C-alpha cells in the first residue's frame, strides 16, 4: 500500500491549512463556534470556493475526489484548525444522494458543494445508544394525498447544526419495530418545513446541535430517498464516511495537541532547565507519540477500506479507527493537559479547546465501547458465516 499522498492532495492540504490559519484563527473560531449560528458562513463559503466540499465527492457527481484519502485529508486539516463549519453534514447527506438519490434529488448536490445549502443527517433519537437500526420516528401514508404522500411524526436528538440546516436527511420507520433492520426509510425534508420544530443548543466543544420534533410533517413521494423500508444499508454506508471523517479530524487535533505540548516542554523551565529534560516527562511524551502514530495507522487503514466492497473488511476497519481515536484522543487530551500543569485547562490556551474536541469526537457516531463491541461482533459473524 502506498502511504504517500498524491501531489493534488498535498496541494489541497496546503491550501486548506493556509486558508484556515488566515480566516479561522483561534479568536475568530471562538466567535463563530459560540455564535447563534454555530459557524461562520463566510468561512464556509470560502471553503466551498477552495473546492474543499467538492473534494468529498467523485467526479461523476460533480466533485473532484471522493475517495477515502480525499476525505481524510480534508478532515485532518479541519481538525488541525478546530474548524466548526458543517462539512460532516455535507459529506453524509451528499453521499446518501449519490448512493440512492434520483436525478432530481441529486440536483441538491450542487448547492451543497457550493456551500450555499447546509445539510444535516437527522437520525439519532433519544435512547438509541448509537444503534443504526433504532428508529421510532414514524412515516405513514397520508390520509389526505392532496397535502402530501407521507406524514412524519417523532423526534430526533443531537442533530449537528440541525437548527441551521436547509436540508435534512431524516430516517423514519415505515414498517416493523424500533430495532428491525427492515422498515427504515430515508426522507429529504426542508429544514423549515411546516411541522418541523427545532430547539438548538451550543456544544461544549463549539458549534451547535438541535433537538428536532416532527409533528404531522407532510412530504411528497419525491422526498423518499431509495427504496421504502431499505434505508439501513444506506445509513451504514454514509455512517462509514462519517467514522472516517471523524477519525481523521481527531488525528489532526491530536497532532496539534502533541506539537503544542512538545513546545511547552521545550520552553517551560523549572530549576533553571526545560521541564522536557526530566526523564519522567520524556517517557510520558514518548508513549504519547507512539499512541498518536497508532491512531494514524488506523486512519490510513480506514481510508483505504471505506470503499471496500466486502462489508466485514470495510466496517471492521472503520470501527477499528473510531475505537482507536476514541481511546487515544482521550489519552492525548488528558496527558497534554497534565504536562501543561495548571494552565492546561485555561480558556486562553488553544490546547484546552483541542482537548474538548478530542473527547467529544468519541461520542459522535458511536463511542469507543460501541465500536469495540461492533468490531468483535463483525469478526464473530464472519467466522460463523
Amino acid at each position: 500500500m502506498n502511504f504517500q499522498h498524491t501531489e493534488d492532495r498535498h496541494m489541497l492540504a496546503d491550501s486548506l491549512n493556509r486558508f484556515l490559519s488566515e480566516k479561522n484563527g483561534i479568536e475568530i473560531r471562538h466567535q463563530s463556534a459560540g455564535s447563534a449560528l454555530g459557524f461562520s458562513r463566510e468561512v464556509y463559503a470560502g471553503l466551498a470556493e477552495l473546492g474543499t466540499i467538492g473534494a468529498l465527492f467523485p467526479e461523476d457527481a460533480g466533485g473532484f475526489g471522493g475517495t477515502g484519502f480525499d476525505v481524510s485529508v480534508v478532515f485532518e486539516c479541519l481538525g488541525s484548525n478546530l474548524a466548526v463549519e458543517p462539512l460532516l453534514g455535507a459529506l453524509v447527506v451528499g453521499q446518501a444522494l449519490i448512493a440512492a438519490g434520483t436525478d432530481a434529488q441529486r440536483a441538491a448536490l450542487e448547492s451543497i458543494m457550493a456551500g450555499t445549502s447546509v445539510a444535516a443527517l437527522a437520525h439519532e433519537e433519544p435512547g438509541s445508544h448509537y444503534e443504526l437500526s433504532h428508529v421510532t420516528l414514524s412515516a405513514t401514508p397520508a390520509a389526505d394525498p392532496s397535502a402530501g404522500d407521507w406524514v412524519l411524526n417523532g423526534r430526533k436528538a443531537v442533530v449537528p447544526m440541525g437548527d441551521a440546516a436547509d436540508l435534512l436527511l431524516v430516517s423514519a420507520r415505515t414498517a416493523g419495530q424500533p430495532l428491525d433492520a427492515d422498515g427504515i426509510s430515508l426522507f429529504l425534508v426542508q429544514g423549515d418545513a411546516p411541522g418541523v420544530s427545532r430547539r438548538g443548543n451550543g456544544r461544549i466543544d463549539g458549534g451547535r446541535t438541535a433537538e428536532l420534533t416532527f409533528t404531522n410533517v407532510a412530504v411528497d413521494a419525491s422526498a423518499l430517498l431509495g427504496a421504502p423500508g431499505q434505508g439501513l444499508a444506506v445509513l451504514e454506508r454514509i455512517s462509514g464516511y462519517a467514522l472516517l471523517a471523524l477519525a481523521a479530524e481527531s488525528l489532526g487535533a491530536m497532532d496539534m495537541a502533541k506539537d503544542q505540548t512538545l513546545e511547552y516542554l521545550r520552553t517551560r523551565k523549572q530549576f533553571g532547565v526545560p521541564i522536557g529534560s526530566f526523564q519522567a516527562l520524556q517517557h510520558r511524551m514518548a508513549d504519547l507519540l507512539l499512541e498518536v502514530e497508532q491512531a494514524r495507522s488506523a486512519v490510513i487503514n480506514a481510508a483505504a477500506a471505506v470503499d471496500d466492497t466486502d462489508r466485514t473488511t470495510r466496517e471492521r476497519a472503520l470501527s477499528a479507527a473510531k475505537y482507536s481515536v476514541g481511546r487515544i484522543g482521550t489519552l492525548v487530551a488528558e496527558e497534554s493537559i497534565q504536562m501543561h500543569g495548571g494552565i492546561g485547562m485555561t480558556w486562553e490556551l488553544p490546547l484546552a479547546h483541542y482537548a474538548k474536541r478530542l473527547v467529544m469526537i468519541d461520542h459522535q457516531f458511536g463511542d469507543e465501547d460501541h465500536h469495540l463491541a461492533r468490531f468483535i461482533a463483525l469478526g464473530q459473524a464472519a467466522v460463523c458465516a
Side-chain angles (χ1 to χ4, degrees), residues 25-102:
I26 192 69
E27 294 302 327
I28 298 174
R29 184 265 180 191
H30 289 340
Q31 292 175 13
S32 302
S35 69
L37 185 62
F39 66 97
S40 165
R41 287 199 184 276
E42 180 186 354
V43 172
Y44 195 48
L47 289 171
E49 189 174 347
L50 270 179
T52 309
I53 308 175
L56 305 177
F57 305 109
E59 290 184 10
D60 59 5
F64 56 88
T67 70
F69 289 105
D70 295 317
V71 173
S72 66
V73 164
V74 168
F75 278 86
E76 190 174 336
C77 293
L78 297 179
S80 298
N81 293 277
L82 279 180
V84 289
E85 279 58 43
L87 274 86
L88 186 63
L91 171 65
V92 294
V93 175
Q95 290 293 346
L97 292 171
I98 292 170
T102 63

Side-chain angles (χ1 to χ4, degrees), residues 246-304:
L246 288 168
E249 182 187 349
S250 180
L251 179 61
M254 283 184 215
D255 274 333
M256 289 301 290
K258 174 199 70 180
D259 291 346
Q260 291 173 9
T261 305
L262 274 172
E263 182 63 21
Y264 184 77
L265 296 183
R266 291 182 181 122
T267 54
R268 176 76 169 91
K269 290 186 177 179
Q270 282 187 343
F271 310 112
V273 296
I275 61 173
S277 63
F278 301 150
Q279 194 172 45
L281 289 177
Q282 288 177 356
H283 286 172
R284 288 174 70 171
M285 199 66 220
D287 289 343
L288 202 62
L289 297 180
L290 286 174
E291 293 283 3
V292 173
E293 291 311 304
Q294 285 194 19
R296 193 182 317 281
S297 298
V299 172
I300 292 171
N301 190 44

Side-chain angles (χ1 to χ4, degrees), residues 103-330:
D103 289 343
Q105 290 169 337
R106 281 189 174 202
L109 272 169
E110 185 176 346
S111 60
I112 290 174
M113 281 191 270
T116 55
S117 176
V118 175
L121 173 64
H123 171 65
E124 195 167 337
E125 298 182 356
S128 61
H129 301 296
Y130 310 127
E131 290 296 337
L132 285 179
S133 61
H134 187 284
V135 176
T136 63
L137 186 145
S138 66
T140 55
D144 178 11
S146 64
D149 296 288
W150 294 90
V151 178
L152 310 184
N153 280 288
R155 296 171 57 197
K156 295 294 181 183
V158 200
V159 178
M161 302 297 180
D163 50 348
D166 304 296
L167 182 65
L168 297 168
L169 177 62
V170 183
S171 59
R173 185 159 290 284
T174 48
Q177 300 301 311
L179 286 170
D180 288 350
D182 291 330
I184 297 172
S185 302
L186 301 174
F187 293 90
L188 293 168
V189 181
Q190 294 300 312
D192 58 356
V196 177
S197 64
R198 307 190 275 189
R199 181 167 60 86
N201 303 290
R203 290 191 334 208
I204 191 169
D205 57 334
R208 293 180 68 80
T209 63
E211 308 296 307
L212 307 183
T213 302
F214 295 75
T215 306
N216 296 324
V217 178
V219 295
D220 294 334
S222 60
L224 180 65
L225 189 81
Q230 301 302 308
L232 183 59
V234 178
L235 275 175
E236 185 176 84
R237 287 295 289 124
I238 64 175
S239 295
Y241 281 100
L243 296 179
L244 171 60
L246 288 168
E249 182 187 349
S250 180
L251 179 61
M254 283 184 215
D255 274 333
M256 289 301 290
K258 174 199 70 180
D259 291 346
Q260 291 173 9
T261 305
L262 274 172
E263 182 63 21
Y264 184 77
L265 296 183
R266 291 182 181 122
T267 54
R268 176 76 169 91
K269 290 186 177 179
Q270 282 187 343
F271 310 112
V273 296
I275 61 173
S277 63
F278 301 150
Q279 194 172 45
L281 289 177
Q282 288 177 356
H283 286 172
R284 288 174 70 171
M285 199 66 220
D287 289 343
L288 202 62
L289 297 180
L290 286 174
E291 293 283 3
V292 173
E293 291 311 304
Q294 285 194 19
R296 193 182 317 281
S297 298
V299 172
I300 292 171
N301 190 44
V306 73
D307 292 319
D308 198 307
T309 54
D310 182 80
R311 176 178 179 264
T312 301
T313 301
R314 180 183 70 240
E315 297 302 325
R316 289 192 91 200
L318 292 166
S319 277
K322 189 62 168 55
Y323 162 75
S324 298
V325 300
R327 179 183 67 80
I328 298 170
T330 301

